[in-house]
Amino acid sequence: MSQDFPTRISFARAQDIVQAVAMDHPMDVERKPLSRALGRVLAQDVVAGIPLPGFDNSAMDGFAIRSSDGVAPRRLVGEQFAGATAGIPVAAGECLRITTGAALPAGADAVLMKENARVEGDTVLPTQAATAGQHVRRQGEDVAVGDIVLRAGAVLDASKLSLAAALGHHDLPVRRRPTVAVFTTGDELRAPGQPLAPGEIYDSNRVLLQALLIAEGYEPVAWPVLPDDPDALAGALKDAAFSFDLVLTCGGVSAGEKDFLPAFLQREGRVHFWKVLMRPGMPVLFGRLGEAHFLGLPGNPVSVLATFLTLARPLLDALQGRAVPRPRLRARLTADVAKGHDRLEFLRGVLACDESGQLQVTPNPADGSHRLRAAAQSNALVVLGEGAGQWPAGTLMDVLPYTGLEASR
Ligand code: AMP
Ligand code: MG
C-alpha cells in the first residue's frame, strides 16, 4: 500500500489532527428544551435578561422590619407570602409576617427570624435586634442584567440548566450530537450467549464501545459483526458513512493478512493518519469516508478503551465545540513503573485519595493490550511519557480518569 498520508505520528500530532478536522466540521446548532438538553454543549453565550434575585426578598421565615426600630415591640400589620405582592408597606414600629422568597415590602430593610421573636396577639416582641439588610437577598446580587452567565462550549449539567431556567429560558441553542455507527470486525467473534467453536472468542468490544458512548449521552447504533471480507466490509461501511456522523470500527487496522481497513479507507475515502506512536492502540486509523468521519480503532480490547478515551472522545467533544477540558489529574505513583519502548503509554491504574487527601494512582502491572481484567479493575489511564524510562513510586504522574470530575466553564 503506497502511503501518501501521515503515519507513525506522535500522539500530540494525532490529537492536533483530530482537533483540526473537528473544527472544520462543527455540528449544526439546534434548539433543545431544557428538559432535553442535559449533557449537550451550549452553542452560544447565555446573557442574563433579568436579574437574580429578581427583587429584594426574604431569606428566612419571620418578620419584615425596620432595623432602626432595634428591639422595640412591633405592631403586626399584615402578611407577605412568596407569590403575589400584598402591597402593605412597613412604617416605623410596624412589621409584616413574611416567608422565605417573599418580596421585601416597601419600608422594611431587614428580616427578623421567626426564632428571634415572640408573638403576643398582634404584637411582635424581638428577642434580639436585626441589622440593616439582615436575611435580605438583594435584587441582582447573584446575577445582574447583561452578565454572561454561561459560555458557548459549556457542557450543560444540572446546575447550568437550572440557572438557564431561573433566567426564564425555555430552550437553549446546543450543538447536535454526532450520530455514531459502531462496527466490530473479525471472523473469530461470537456474540456473548452463543456457544464458541474452537478458535472463536466473544465480542467484548461491541458492548465496550456502546457503553463508552452511551455513558457520554450518545445513542450508538451497533451493526452486526463484520466478517474479515473486503467486500462485506466495504458494503456495510460505505452504507453507514451515508447516514452517520462517525463510523467507529474496531479490529482490522493492523498489518495482518486480514486487516483490510487501511487500504479500504485509502481507496474509498481519505486517510488523515494511520498508526500513532502510542501504546496501546498504535495501529489506530483516522480519516473520512463519504459524509462521515472514520475512526478505526485496533481490535485489542484495552487498545479500544485507550484509543476511545484519548482520540474518539476528544473527536466527539470537538465536533460539538466542547470547551470544557476533560479532567487530567496529577497523582503520585504507589509503585515503581518502567518501560523500555519509546512510545507514549497509557497504562491502566486505580486512582484514589490517600489518607491525607492526596491523589494517588496504583498502576496495574498487567500492561498487555489484551489484559481486559486489568482495565476492568482500574478507573484511569496513567500517562507514561515518550522515551524509555523509569518512574519510581512517589513520582507525580498525569492521569486520565475513565469518567467524571469535569472542569467547569
Ligand atoms: P485485529 O486488530 O483485528 O487483528 O484484532 C486484534 C486482537 O483483538 C485479536 O486478538 C482479536 O481477536 C481481538 N479482537 C478484535 N475484535 C475484538 C472484539 N470485538 N472483541 C474482542 N476481541 C477482539
Ligand atoms: Mg481482526
Side-chain angles (χ1 to χ4, degrees), residues 98-144:
I98 196 165
T99 57
T100 306
L104 195 71
D109 70 342
V111 171
L112 178 69
M113 277 169 68
K114 207 173 176 175
E115 291 79 354
N116 293 340
R118 226 158 19 90
V119 183
E120 286 177 6
D122 59 2
T123 304
V124 173
L125 302 154
T127 53
Q128 64 183 67
T131 54
Q134 198 171 10
H135 304 312
V136 176
R137 307 170 185 164
R138 287 280 165 220
Q139 179 182 56
E141 73 179 8
D142 192 17
V143 175

Side-chain angles (χ1 to χ4, degrees), residues 325-327 329 351 359 401 403-407:
R326 295 284 176 171
L329 308 175
L351 183 66
L359 282 180
T403 58
L405 273 178
E406 311 302 325

Side-chain angles (χ1 to χ4, degrees), residues 37-385:
L38 181 65
R40 292 303 198 87
V41 177
L42 188 64
Q44 286 164 19
D45 293 350
V46 172
V47 181
I50 57 171
L52 290 179
F55 46 86
D56 292 353
N57 71 87
S58 177
M60 290 287 173
D61 294 329
F63 303 95
I65 56 157
R66 288 176 177 242
S67 58
S68 53
D69 288 343
V71 288
R74 315 289 213 286
R75 200 161 61 80
L76 191 56
V77 294
E79 297 170 327
Q80 174 64 62
F81 300 132
T85 304
I88 309 168
V90 174
E94 292 181 349
C95 72
L96 215 65
R97 193 184 295 278
I98 196 165
T99 57
T100 306
L104 195 71
D109 70 342
V111 171
L112 178 69
M113 277 169 68
K114 207 173 176 175
E115 291 79 354
N116 293 340
R118 226 158 19 90
V119 183
E120 286 177 6
D122 59 2
T123 304
V124 173
L125 302 154
T127 53
Q128 64 183 67
T131 54
Q134 198 171 10
H135 304 312
V136 176
R137 307 170 185 164
R138 287 280 165 220
Q139 179 182 56
E141 73 179 8
D142 192 17
V143 175
V145 172
D147 281 356
I148 298 175
V149 291
L150 298 173
R151 297 272 179 192
V155 178
L156 294 171
D157 62 11
S159 59
K160 291 182 174 58
L161 288 170
S162 136
L163 177 58
L167 290 168
H169 291 274
H170 164 266
D171 48 46
L172 287 173
V174 296
R175 295 278 167 192
R176 190 164 66 71
R177 266 194 197 288
T179 52
V180 187
V182 171
F183 290 91
T184 53
T185 70
D187 290 337
E188 74 279 29
L189 301 179
R190 286 291 162 268
Q194 304 293 310
L196 287 179
E200 293 181 344
I201 61 167
Y202 289 120
D203 181 350
S204 59
N205 289 344
R206 180 189 177 94
V207 73
L208 173 64
L209 282 172
Q210 281 180 303
L212 286 164
L213 288 159
I214 290 168
E216 294 290 331
Y218 301 101
E219 295 171 4
V221 175
W223 250 253
V225 177
L226 293 179
D228 288 318
D229 170 76
D231 294 336
L233 283 172
L237 295 174
K238 286 203 286 196
D239 194 9
F242 278 117
S243 33
F244 288 84
D245 299 305
L246 172 63
V247 174
L248 192 59
T249 67
C250 65
V253 289
S254 310
E257 307 305 313
K258 299 276 183 180
D259 293 329
F260 300 116
L261 291 178
F264 158 76
L265 190 61
Q266 193 183 21
R267 191 178 65 245
E268 302 286 347
R270 186 178 158 203
V271 176
H272 299 314
F273 62 72
W274 180 34
K275 293 183 183 163
V276 176
L277 296 173
M278 63 188 285
R279 187 178 142 166
M282 164 125 137
V284 60
L285 171 71
F286 180 43
R288 200 150 170 90
L289 180 65
E291 292 303 302
H293 300 285
F294 184 100
L295 195 54
L297 309 183
N300 277 306
V302 183
S303 308
V304 172
L305 177 66
T307 49
F308 181 88
L309 294 177
T310 59
L311 293 170
R313 192 168 66 178
L315 171 65
L316 292 164
D317 286 350
L319 286 169
Q320 294 170 88
R322 179 183 166 126
V324 187
R326 295 284 176 171
R328 195 161 175 137
L329 308 175
R330 304 267 290 160
R332 286 194 193 285
L333 281 175
T334 61
D336 299 349
V337 175
K339 74 175 169 80
H341 62 82
D342 276 343
R343 284 181 267 157
L344 187 73
E345 175 145 2
F346 296 102
L347 188 62
R348 278 64 62 204
V350 177
L351 183 66
C353 271
D354 66 15
E355 306 81 63
S356 65
Q358 303 294 305
L359 282 180
Q360 62 175 35
V361 66
T362 303
N364 194 308
D367 65 349
S369 58
H370 60 297
R371 303 294 292 263
L372 194 47
R373 183 165 72 172
Q377 287 170 336
S378 301
N379 60 4
L381 301 177
V382 188
V383 185
L384 308 183

